[in-house]
Structures are given as C-alpha cells and as structure tokens.
Amino acid sequence: MSGGYETARAGNGGWPGDRPSPTAAAPRAVSPGAGGGDERTLAPLARRRLPVVGRRELGAYVVLSVADPGGPAPDPGQFAMLAAAERWGGGADERPFLPRACSVARRHGDGTLDFLLEDVGPGTERLAELDAGDDVWLLGPLGRGFAAPRAERRAILAGGGVGIAPLAIWQEVLGPGALALLGFRDAAHAEGAALLREPRIATDDGSAGHRGLVTELLAAELGGPPAEVYACGPPPMLEAVRALCAEHDVPAQLALESGMACGFGACFGCVVPTRSGYVRLCVDGPVLDATALERVEHPGAPA
Ligand SMILES: Cc1cc2nc3c(=O)[nH]c(=O)nc-3n(C[C@H](O)[C@H](O)[C@H](O)COP(=O)(O)OP(=O)(O)OC[C@H]3O[C@@H](n4cnc5c(N)ncnc54)[C@H](O)[C@@H]3O)c2cc1C
Ligand code: FES
C-alpha cells in the first residue's frame, strides 16, 4: 500500500515556521544554526509511505527513485530518514532497526526524489536492493541545507564518494557556473560523477581523472578569482577542505555526517562539537559554516 501516512513527531526540531516557501507549498522555518539563519523547508508531521519508482546502478552506487508528488521540495543539502517498508530489521543483531539518513540528490518536476546509495552496512544494503514495486517510509525533508552564495564569488563544489549527492541538487540550483570537483577511490565509484554537470574527477588509484585527492584539485582552484566552497564527503576530506579554505580565507559550507537515530532533534545522538558548543547536526546542520568548527570530527554509527 503506497501513499499512506503514519503519525510521527514533527520534523526539524520544532523551529517555528511562519513564512511560505518560494518553491513549494511547504512550511518554512528560521533557525539560528551556523549556516547563516536562512529559511528552510520543514517536513510534514508524519513519515510517509511512498513507492519506489526506479532503481539504477551507477558504477559502485545505486540511485533509488521515490515518488513523492505531494511532498515539499527539499532545499539542497537537506536529507530524509529512509527505511524499507518491508523487511527492515530482523537481520544480524536485528539491524537495521533505525531509519537511515540520506541526502536528496535530485528532485524531478513530478516530485520524484533521487537518492544516491552506497552499500556500507545493513541499512544501505536493504535500501539499495529496493526496486519499483517496493515502498519506503520517508521522513523529510530534514535539516538545514546550503545557504545562498555570497555575491561576487564563484561556487566550487567539492565532493567525496557518496557525499557528492547533495552537491548534485545544489549544482542544479546554482546553475552552469558552479564548478564540481569530485573525488572517489576508483573508476567504479567515479561513475557516480554522472550525477553532476562537467565534473573534474580525482581518484585515489588514478583509474579515472587526476590521480590523487580531490583537495589537490581544490587547492589549485583557490588561488584564482574569489570563491565560495560547498563540500560534502568523508570527515578527513572535509577537515582538509576546512583547513585549506581557512588558509586561503575562502568561505566554506560543509555538509557533515553523524550517526542519526531520529533525524528531528529528539535523541541528541547526532551532536557535533562547534566553537560555540555542541549542536544537533540533524536540525542545526547537516550543513555548517566552516568557521563554526575547530575541526571536523569523526562521528559514530546508528543502531
Ligand atoms: C545527513 C546525512 C546524509 C547522508 N546521506 C547519504 C547518502 O546520500 N547516501 C548514502 O549512502 N549514505 C548517506 N549517509 C550515510 C548513511 O546514513 C550511513 O552510511 C548509514 O546510516 C549506514 O547504515 P548501514 O546500516 O548501511 O551501515 P552501518 O553498519 O550502520 O555503518 C557502516 C559504516 O559506516 C559508518 N557510519 C554509519 N553511519 C554513519 C554516519 N551517519 N556518519 C558516518 N559514518 C557512519 C559506521 O561507523 C560503519 O563503519 C548520510 C548520513 C547523514 C547523517
Ligand atoms: S538524530 Fe536525533 S537529535 Fe539528531
């Protein structure tokens, strides 16, 4: 049965929403997080049972398409909590038990949402095997996405591995001038770069593009005209991006990851340290301004 609703707690930690979205008939809220206090799209007050309408393999990744015609348009950088409607849990150690956080990689005109999945454990394995005819439970869009670019700065997107997902939807909004620099471990993973327009690629083993780290491509760009960097990827990569941008005095927004149990501010499982104390990444992030961080820490995993 598709299109059903199940009562759940309100999304996004309860920031007061009061202004209509310019992009969708969805509630908006203003939060004091590190990304500059921009408005964001709030999730409907329940998780939604939605049909999977497509699955395609993209090298080492899977793109899962979910029909959500009635859902609000997510802001680039927002995510959803996903769980398969059937056979979720009951595997080894009863995992996956909790839903899994997943960035929205694209929203099509008919409301279909694309998610890029990398099978790293029981949750992503189950999600990645879903296909048309299956259903998912989706709560979202959640969190705070990328803040609007500063004037007179060119956008550089720096992605690592499955972290390229939120950069794909962001590049679509930013337009043709946004340069994408993407790093992967090998050519099979680099096939994921097809989600972005005219990307420059680096691979660890040199099997596609530049042999080396994506931060080497980024370093070469930061000496040019004034830029603003948007990055998502594994913590060591984000820490390198943070340090590089600080060194060059370039503003950066970092989409971080943390083990998330609820996704809407209730469990405090996703807290990360910032210069002004701990924040819940699911409501104050996942995108944080780089200057808010002393450094990018490595998070834990959900149950
Ligand atoms: C905001 C956000 C957006 C995300 N977007 C995507 C996405 O677009 N595509 C995608 O494939 N994955 C994404 N993830 C990561 C995904 O949620 C985790 O990889 C997933 O929860 C792992 O579950 P699992 O059961 O498959 O593996 P597990 O067995 O739970 O974990 C496998 C390995 O990944 C580590 N890990 C698990 N969860 C996290 C996490 N949240 N942060 C860092 N390390 C973790 C574990 O320590 C372990 O080493 C996102 C996470 C967050 C917080
Ligand atoms: S995941 Fe529960 S508070 Fe963030």
Side-chain angles (χ1 to χ4, degrees):
M1 158 75 181
S2 297
Y5 282 75
E6 182 175 283
T7 304
R9 187 200 178 286
N12 291 12
W15 301 109
D18 56 2
R19 282 203 264 162
S21 160
T23 53
R28 306 283 287 174
V30 179
S31 95
D38 289 350
E39 287 188 42
R40 61 185 161 146
T41 302
L42 290 181
L45 303 183
R47 66 176 186 164
R48 318 193 276 294
R49 183 166 178 148
L50 300 171
V52 174
V53 291
R55 176 195 188 275
R56 73 186 162 105
E57 291 180 10
L58 203 53
Y61 302 105
V62 166
V63 178
L64 193 72
S65 300
V66 176
D68 188 20
D75 300 329
Q78 286 193 300
F79 66 96
M81 298 299 285
L82 294 179
E86 309 293 339
R87 291 199 296 112
W88 189 258
D93 303 326
E94 302 294 310
R95 299 178 79 227
F97 177 66
L98 300 165
R100 291 326 196 224
C102 205
S103 303
V104 178
R106 180 142 293 141
R107 184 179 191 266
H108 300 272
D110 63 358
T112 298
L113 303 174
D114 286 350
F115 297 96
L116 183 70
L117 294 166
E118 179 171 24
D119 173 359
V120 296
T124 46
E125 179 186 21
R126 177 73 187 114
L127 290 170
E129 71 184 14
L130 296 177
D131 209 336
D134 294 320
D135 287 351
V136 290
W137 285 112
L138 181 151
L139 180 67
L142 299 167
R144 308 185 65 232
F146 296 108
R150 292 165 172 81
E152 309 297 330
R153 287 186 179 268
R154 69 199 172 108
I156 302 179
L157 314 180
V162 78
I164 66 170
L167 302 181
I169 184 172
W170 190 216
Q171 189 190 43
E172 211 166 55
V173 170
L174 290 172
L179 172 65
L181 309 174
L182 308 178
F184 302 93
R185 72 188 74 140
D186 55 30
H189 288 83
E191 286 187 46
L195 282 187
L196 285 97
R197 203 179 41 249
E198 298 178 16
R200 287 190 212 155
I201 293 169
T203 50
D204 297 348
D205 66 359
S207 54
H210 168 77
R211 181 194 198 97
L213 301 174
V214 67
T215 41
E216 292 162 15
L217 301 181
L218 180 62
E221 286 296 324
L222 292 186
E228 176 153 19
V229 172
Y230 306 90
C232 185
M237 179 211 135
L238 288 183
E239 171 54 19
V241 170
R242 188 204 59 77
L244 202 54
C245 290
E247 186 189 320
H248 288 80
D249 204 17
V250 169
Q253 295 177 38
L254 309 178
L256 272 63
E257 276 196 21
S258 175
M260 290 188 181
C262 70
F264 48 74
C267 73
F268 284 72
C270 64
V271 292
V272 295
T274 70
R275 290 182 193 276
S276 54
Y278 282 93
V279 299
R280 290 166 297 172
L281 203 63
C282 66
V283 288
D284 294 320
V287 180
L288 298 180
D289 196 285
T291 56
L293 301 167
E294 191 79 50
R295 56 176 289 107
V296 177
E297 307 280 349
H298 198 297

